[in-house]
C-alpha cells in the first residue's frame, strides 16, 4: 500500500460491560488471535492496540477492560484504562450483546464524560429470536440522538464486520498511516505471551484464583527453530499455590500445554514454556508492586 495516497486513519475504542465479548470481537475483526479471551468477566486488564486495514484505510482498535465498579486497586486501574481509551480515541464502538438489558448502555452514557461519538455494535444476534432482536433495536432507538449508527453483528455467523468498518471509516480524518500496514498490533510479543498464559489460567483454574493471579515473563530466548519462554505465575495466597500446581503438577502442566498451544499458533514454531509459581500476598492492592507489573495506578 502507498502511504502517499489519500486515506483515513484513526483510533477506535472498543468498550462494553465485563465479559461482553470485546476481545473475541477484536480477534475476529483482525483475523488473528492476539487478545486474551475468557468466559469469565474482567479478564482483560489493560488496553491493547490492534491495527486493522480496511481497504486503504487504517483503523487502530483499542481493546479495553470492561466498564465496572471500582473494587481493588487493580480494578480501579482497569476502569481508568477503559475511560482513558474513550477519552483518547476518535470514535467509540460500544459492544452490546443482543440479549443484554439496556441498563448497561445507560451506564456507558453516564461515563462517556467527553461525549465521544459512538457506534453501537449489537452483537451475538444469532443468540436471540428475530422478535427479541427487533425489540432490542427498538429500545436502543430511543437513544438514536446519542449514537452514530447501530450495527447488528455476529462473530459466529460472520455478520456485520464490513458494515461496522465502513461506518467507522466515515468518522475518521484523512491522515498518513500511523503504523506499518503489515503490523497486527503495537504490543510487544512478551506482553502477548503473558496474556496467553493468563488466558490458560482462566480456562483451567476455577473460582477467584484467576482474578488474583498475574504473569511475569522472566526470559525469552528467540531461536530460529524454537522459542524458549520462562514465566512466573504470581498469586496472592499460599493456599493458592497448591491449586495452581495441582496434584503431581497436573494443573500447571495443563496451563502450560494450553498456553504453549496458543503461543505456537501465533509464532508458527515450537515453544518450550517453563512455568513457576510465586506468592505475593495482597498484590492486587499493592500500588508499588502493581506498578512493577505495568499497572500504573
Amino acid at each position: 500500500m502507498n502511504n502517499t495516497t489519500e486515506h483515513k486513519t484513526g483510533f477506535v475504542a472498543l468498550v462494553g460491560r465485563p465479559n461482553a465479548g470485546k476481545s473475541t470481537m477484536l480477534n475476529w475483526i483482525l483475523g488473528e488471535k492476539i487478545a486474551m479471551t475468557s468466559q469469565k468477566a474482567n479478564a482483560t486488564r489493560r488496553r491493547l492496540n490492534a491495527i486493522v486495514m480496511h481497504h486503504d484505510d487504517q483503523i487502530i482498535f483499542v481493546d479495553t477492560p470492561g466498564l465496572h465498579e471500582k473494587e481493588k486497586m487493580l480494578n480501579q486501574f482497569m476502569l481508568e484504562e477503559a475511560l482513558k481509551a474513550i477519552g483518547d480515541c476518535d470514535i467509540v464502538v460500544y459492544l452490546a450483546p443482543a440479549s443484554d438489558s439496556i441498563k448497561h448502555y445507560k451506564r456507558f452514557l453516564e461515563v462517556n464524560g467527553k461525549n465521544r461519538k459512538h457506534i453501537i455494535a449489537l452483537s451475538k444476534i444469532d443468540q436471540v429470536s428475530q422478535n427479541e432482536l427487533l425489540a432490542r433495536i427498538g429500545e436502543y432507538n430511543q437513544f438514536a440522538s446519542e449514537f452514530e449508527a447501530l450495527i447488528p453483528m455476529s462473530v459466529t455467523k460472520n455478520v456485520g464486520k464490513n458494515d461496522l468498518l465502513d461506518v467507522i471509516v466515515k468518522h475518521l480524518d484523512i491522515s498518513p498511516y500511523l503504523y506499518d500496514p503489515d503490523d497486527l498490533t503495537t504490543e510487544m510479543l512478551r506482553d502477548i505471551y503473558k496474556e496467553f498464559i493468563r488466558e490458560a489460567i482462566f480456562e483451567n483454574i476455577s473460582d477467584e484464583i484467576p482474578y488474583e493471579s498475574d504473569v511475569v515473563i522472566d526470559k525469552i530466548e528467540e531461536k530460529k527453530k524454537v522459542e524458549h519462554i520462562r514465566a512466573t505465575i504470581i498469586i496472592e495466597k499460599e493456599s493458592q499455590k497448591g491449586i495452581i500446581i495441582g496434584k503431581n503438577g497436573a494443573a500447571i502442566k495443563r496451563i502450560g500445554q494450553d498456553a504453549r498451544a496458543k503461543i505456537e499458533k501465533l509464532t508458527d514454531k515450537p515453544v518450550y514454556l517453563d512455568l513457576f509459581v510465586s506468592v505475593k500476598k495482597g498484590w492486587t492492592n499493592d500500588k508499588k508492586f502493581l506498578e512493577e507489573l505495568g499497572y500504573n495506578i
Side-chain angles (χ1 to χ4, degrees):
M1 290 180 188
N2 189 344
N3 201 24
T4 61
T5 59
E6 188 174 276
H7 42 246
K8 293 184 173 183
T9 302
F11 287 87
V12 178
L14 185 57
V15 305
R17 64 159 173 81
N19 210 29
K22 297 181 293 297
S23 298
T24 298
M25 176 74 73
L26 185 66
N27 290 333
W28 172 61
I29 291 172
L30 187 62
E32 184 76 62
K33 180 176 172 60
I34 63 166
M36 171 186 172
T37 60
S38 174
Q39 294 299 314
K40 298 177 182 177
N42 288 332
T44 300
R45 287 180 178 166
R46 64 175 76 238
R47 286 179 284 177
L48 179 149
N49 291 353
I51 302 161
V52 175
M53 299 304 301
H54 184 53
H55 306 307
D56 286 337
D57 302 304
Q58 186 175 80
I59 305 170
I60 302 98
F61 279 93
V62 185
D63 189 22
T64 66
L67 298 170
H68 65 288
E69 299 299 323
K70 297 180 182 180
E71 296 172 10
K72 297 180 179 179
M73 196 172 289
L74 176 60
N75 296 93
Q76 178 183 336
F77 167 83
M78 291 159 60
L79 179 58
E80 290 300 319
E81 282 282 274
L83 297 179
K84 286 176 185 175
I86 292 173
D88 294 343
C89 70
D90 297 292
I91 192 166
V92 175
V93 171
Y94 177 80
L95 188 62
S99 58
D100 266 12
S101 163
I102 202 165
K103 70 179 183 181
H104 300 290
Y105 177 64
K106 292 178 180 178
R107 165 65 174 151
F108 162 72
L109 292 178
E110 291 173 3
V111 301
N112 186 18
K114 293 187 178 181
N115 199 26
R116 290 290 187 198
K117 292 187 298 184
H118 65 278
I119 298 163
I120 297 177
L122 192 62
S123 64
K124 304 180 182 180
I125 59 172
D126 55 297
Q127 297 182 13
V128 297
S129 68
Q130 189 68 16
N131 286 339
E132 289 172 316
L133 178 59
L134 291 173
R136 189 69 72 226
I137 291 173
E139 288 183 325
Y140 281 107
N141 280 339
Q142 299 175 54
F143 299 88
S145 61
E146 301 283 351
F147 56 82
E148 304 298 319
L150 186 151
I151 312 294
M153 306 189 72
S154 169
V155 172
T156 306
K157 300 295 184 182
N158 197 28
V159 171
K161 181 193 297 186
N162 286 331
D163 292 338
L164 177 65
L165 298 179
D166 286 343
V167 172
I168 288 171
V169 166
K170 289 179 183 178
H171 295 279
L172 301 183
D173 294 328
I174 294 172
S175 166
Y177 295 145
L178 298 176
Y179 302 101
D180 187 323
D182 292 329
D183 289 346
L184 293 176
T185 179
T186 61
E187 299 300 303
M188 295 177 64
L189 273 178
R190 65 170 49 243
D191 292 326
I192 296 176
Y193 294 168
K194 167 181 173 170
E195 291 303 283
F196 283 177
I197 298 169
R198 285 189 57 240
E199 182 177 317
I201 295 170
F202 269 77
E203 290 179 350
N204 289 280
I205 304 295
S206 60
D207 301 326
E208 290 299 309
I209 294 178
Y211 297 102
E212 297 182 350
S213 67
D214 210 298
V215 175
V216 175
I217 304 296
D218 302 309
K219 186 178 181 181
I220 299 175
E221 289 183 41
E222 296 183 29
K223 298 181 180 179
K224 187 174 181 180
K225 294 185 178 181
V226 68
E227 194 102 337
H228 194 154
I229 305 166
R230 174 193 166 104
T232 300
I233 299 171
I234 308 296
I235 49 177
E236 277 204 318
K237 303 166 187 172
E238 193 68 40
S239 59
Q240 296 170 338
K241 190 171 184 178
I243 298 172
I244 287 285
I245 294 173
K247 185 177 181 181
N248 298 323
I252 199 167
K253 183 178 180 181
R254 285 198 311 274
I255 293 168
Q257 289 173 334
D258 192 350
R260 187 173 69 247
K262 299 175 193 298
I263 296 170
E264 286 179 339
K265 188 172 181 180
L266 180 68
T267 60
D268 199 27
K269 64 180 178 181
V271 169
Y272 287 119
L273 177 59
D274 292 328
L275 292 179
F276 301 86
V277 183
S278 177
V279 179
K280 175 65 178 176
K281 294 182 179 179
W283 73 266
T284 55
N285 271 317
D286 185 330
K287 186 174 186 293
K288 183 178 178 181
F289 188 71
L290 284 168
E291 290 176 347
E292 290 177 9
L293 292 174
Y295 304 117
N296 296 314
I297 307 299

